[in-house]
Amino acid sequence: MRALGWMTLGMAVLASGCSFTTAGGLSECDTSGDCGANSVCTSGFCLPQPAGCGQVFGATSAANAIALGALVPLTNRSGSAEIEQQRLNGLKLALDEVNALEGVGGRQFVLYVCDTQADVENAKTQARWLVDDKQTVAVFSAGSAQTIGISSITIPKNVLLMSHTATSAAFTSLEDKNGGAVGLVWRTTPSDALQGRVIADVLRGTTVINDPGVTFVSPNKVGVAYVNDTYGQGLYSALLSRLTTKQLDGAQYERNSDVAGAVSRLATFKPDLTVLAGFTEDNSRLLPAAVSAGVSMANGNRWFLTDASKDPTLLTNLGAGKNEIVGSYGTAPASARPQEPTYKFFADRFTTAYKVDPGQFSFTAHAYDAMYLVTLGAAYAIGNDLANPQPVTGTRIAEGLTKVTPASGQTVTSYQLGPVQFTGARDSLRQGKGINVQGASGELDFNNDTGEAPSPYELFKVESNGFRTLQLINPTAD
């Protein structure tokens, strides 16, 4: 670490009210390597790195690497969040595959990762650091509430924000163009307006569950235990508007906080079925408390999971109490689709790399697709003249994303997201051509005005050792 010289002079300059900058040649660092642990070199000075931002992946030593960021809740109140680690692994797998193919325009990618601890204010602080200090052109984000919070930092800076788990309907109408022609917030996940339709059709009995030997009886009284953020609020609102012939009652709670109030409300309501519209760490506490309060299978209640709880950690955390939800159903944007070649290729490579079945966790395939889409957008940004490449910016990446879904009636070349067809898709986009992409998570037919694509949903069943996909469901039209 270089020592800051002329300390007495620096103190005198500060005392005089003058700004102490590098303009006069005084600095304490040239790179972050000159700084101590947990510090980064910013404008010539060693400043604290935000807590949780220590991991870096990808082309860390490559010259002129394209900087990307990821803001993900790798830990929460209960400790390590395995589901978020597996989604991060989806991002990393795609990153490694793209870099192995020389990236785009001769430039590879580096990914700076911050653990937000599921705290929106933490995420916003980290986002400022990624955007201002690391000069990231695109940021990946998890969760609806967190992504909306981060968008207030990224949009004004013209940084692309891509989410692989945010499903809130609030994103559909988000003001994200910052004066430009293309939105800067995109997601590989569909809106919860669609998941609400799917759940409602299952609970009404309109959708017949393909589970031989089991007859699903439509409930009369439906409780919804939901996290009090845009994700949980959106799902509860969607069910209220669609289950008008049922008795519904909502029991809300704050994420990573006390669930006693929600449990008490459920116990008073005495539902026939309770939808768990929240995250694993909270449901791991809410379920045992609800059972103790009489909201249980033994007392006539059944459970229904949403995408945020398709996580084997929930079963692990419940221990012997997991029998309370074994046999329950749930929905998630379709990820585990073993009959689809694009998904199977991804799943095989993921399992080989990380020794885990990605289909046991929601949104792993969506994370993989998100990374590929951002890198393809960067290829479009660079353009076809590699001797005179264009700058890679969030706005240009967003423009590139409008090229991956053909207009109705337009004939273009289709590419599967993954290492086999990446170079063809990359080169077509560099030439400004439109293409069509099929991801591990599905077709990804984006609405270029909203930055989102519809998706089929998987109806899964909870088993003692994980989750089994029973069928795929296409959301009904309004």
Side-chain angles (χ1 to χ4, degrees):
M1 176 180 176
R2 294 169 48 191
L4 179 62
W6 297 92
M7 184 62 70
T8 302
L9 175 61
M11 293 294 290
V13 171
L14 290 172
S16 67
C18 298
S19 175
F20 184 57
T21 71
T22 59
L26 297 175
S27 67
E28 60 179 339
C29 61
D30 292 324
T31 69
S32 294
D34 296 325
C35 299
N38 302 318
S39 296
V40 292
C41 187
T42 303
S43 300
F45 296 94
C46 293
L47 300 178
Q49 175 179 276
C53 291
Q55 298 187 67
V56 187
F57 300 99
T60 56
S61 60
N64 202 26
I66 298 170
L68 308 174
L71 296 165
V72 287
L74 296 174
T75 58
N76 55 45
R77 170 175 170 166
S78 302
S80 178
E82 184 183 1
I83 191 171
E84 295 297 344
Q85 181 59 59
Q86 299 309 331
R87 293 164 179 170
L88 176 60
N89 285 341
L91 292 173
K92 289 163 54 183
L93 179 62
L95 177 75
D96 290 342
E97 290 174 352
V98 168
N99 281 341
L101 294 167
E102 303 303 321
V104 297
R107 298 178 65 184
Q108 295 179 307
F109 295 87
V110 62
L111 179 68
Y112 297 93
V113 178
C114 295
D115 173 16
T116 67
Q117 298 183 321
D119 184 287
V120 174
E121 292 306 314
N122 281 351
K124 290 166 70 173
T125 296
Q126 294 164 343
R128 292 186 187 95
W129 175 73
L130 287 174
V131 170
D132 295 335
D133 186 88
K134 308 315 293 182
Q135 299 293 298
T136 55
V137 294
V139 173
F140 300 93
S141 178
S144 296
Q146 176 176 291
T147 302
I148 286 180
I150 293 166
S151 72
S152 67
I153 309 300
T154 58
I155 293 171
K157 297 284 189 174
N158 288 320
V159 171
L160 183 95
L161 183 58
M162 171 69 80
S163 182
H164 50 284
T165 72
T167 56
S168 170
F171 288 93
T172 302
S173 56
L174 186 68
E175 295 290 338
D176 64 341
K177 294 185 178 180
N178 198 32
V182 182
L184 291 161
V185 179
W186 291 66
R187 55 179 170 175
T188 52
T189 51
S191 166
D192 274 331
L194 300 181
Q195 183 164 204
R197 296 179 199 176
V198 172
I199 295 173
D201 286 347
V202 170
L203 299 189
R204 283 189 302 224
T206 305
T207 296
V208 178
I209 297 177
N210 182 22
D211 190 9
V214 179
T215 300
F216 179 79
V217 178
S218 180
N220 293 314
K221 297 178 68 177
V222 178
V224 184
Y226 67 94
V227 61
N228 189 29
D229 65 11
T230 55
Y231 169 67
Q233 294 162 7
L235 275 174
Y236 179 48
S237 176
L239 293 175
L240 276 174
S241 65
R242 303 190 78 84
L243 291 175
T244 55
T245 62
K246 308 288 184 183
Q247 296 182 59
L248 251 73
D249 195 29
Q252 71 182 49
Y253 56 87
E254 302 301 320
R255 186 171 184 181
N256 290 322
S257 189
D258 186 18
V259 297
V263 169
S264 176
R265 190 172 181 103
L266 289 175
T268 300
F269 180 59
K270 295 181 173 58
D272 303 327
L273 180 145
T274 301
V275 178
L276 296 175
F279 299 90
T280 296
E281 62 269 24
D282 292 322
N283 286 334
S284 295
R285 293 179 293 112
L286 188 147
L287 269 160
V291 170
S292 295
V295 183
S296 64
M297 290 179 63
N299 290 326
N301 178 68
R302 291 166 290 165
W303 302 97
F304 196 97
L305 276 60
T306 60
D307 46 45
S309 281
K310 191 188 178 192
D311 175 3
T313 305
L314 177 61
L315 301 176
T316 302
N317 290 348
L318 291 174
K322 70 181 179 180
N323 290 329
E324 176 68 20
I325 59 168
V326 169
S328 301
Y329 300 115
T331 57
S335 182
R337 308 197 301 169
Q339 304 307 314
E340 293 287 339
T342 307
Y343 172 79
K344 189 175 187 310
F345 188 77
F346 151 73
D348 289 347
R349 293 179 62 79
F350 188 102
T351 302
T352 299
Y354 304 112
K355 314 305 179 190
V356 172
D357 175 8
Q360 289 298 303
F361 301 86
S362 58
F363 302 127
T364 50
H366 297 80
Y368 181 79
D369 290 344
M371 178 61 74
Y372 264 105
L373 288 165
V374 168
T375 59
L376 287 174
Y380 172 87
I382 285 175
N384 201 36
D385 185 359
L386 295 184
N388 184 33
Q390 300 303 300
V392 178
T393 66
T395 300
R396 288 281 290 163
I397 293 173
E399 291 172 2
L401 293 178
T402 68
K403 302 291 185 181
V404 302
T405 302
S408 179
Q410 183 182 14
T411 300
V412 298
T413 304
S414 293
Y415 298 95
Q416 294 179 348
L417 296 182
V420 176
Q421 298 186 10
F422 172 74
T423 57
R426 174 190 66 191
D427 294 346
S428 291
L429 284 170
R430 277 202 304 106
Q431 296 164 26
K433 297 178 181 178
I435 63 173
N436 192 23
V437 297
Q438 181 178 20
S441 66
E443 295 295 333
L444 294 172
D445 293 328
F446 284 101
N447 178 324
N448 290 335
D449 290 329
T450 63
E452 60 191 25
S455 170
Y457 282 77
E458 57 180 290
L459 179 71
F460 61 84
K461 185 174 185 176
V462 183
E463 299 185 329
S464 60
N465 59 348
F467 306 94
R468 178 166 58 95
T469 299
L470 298 178
Q471 67 203 77
L472 299 183
I473 301 171
N474 287 309
T476 56
D478 278 335

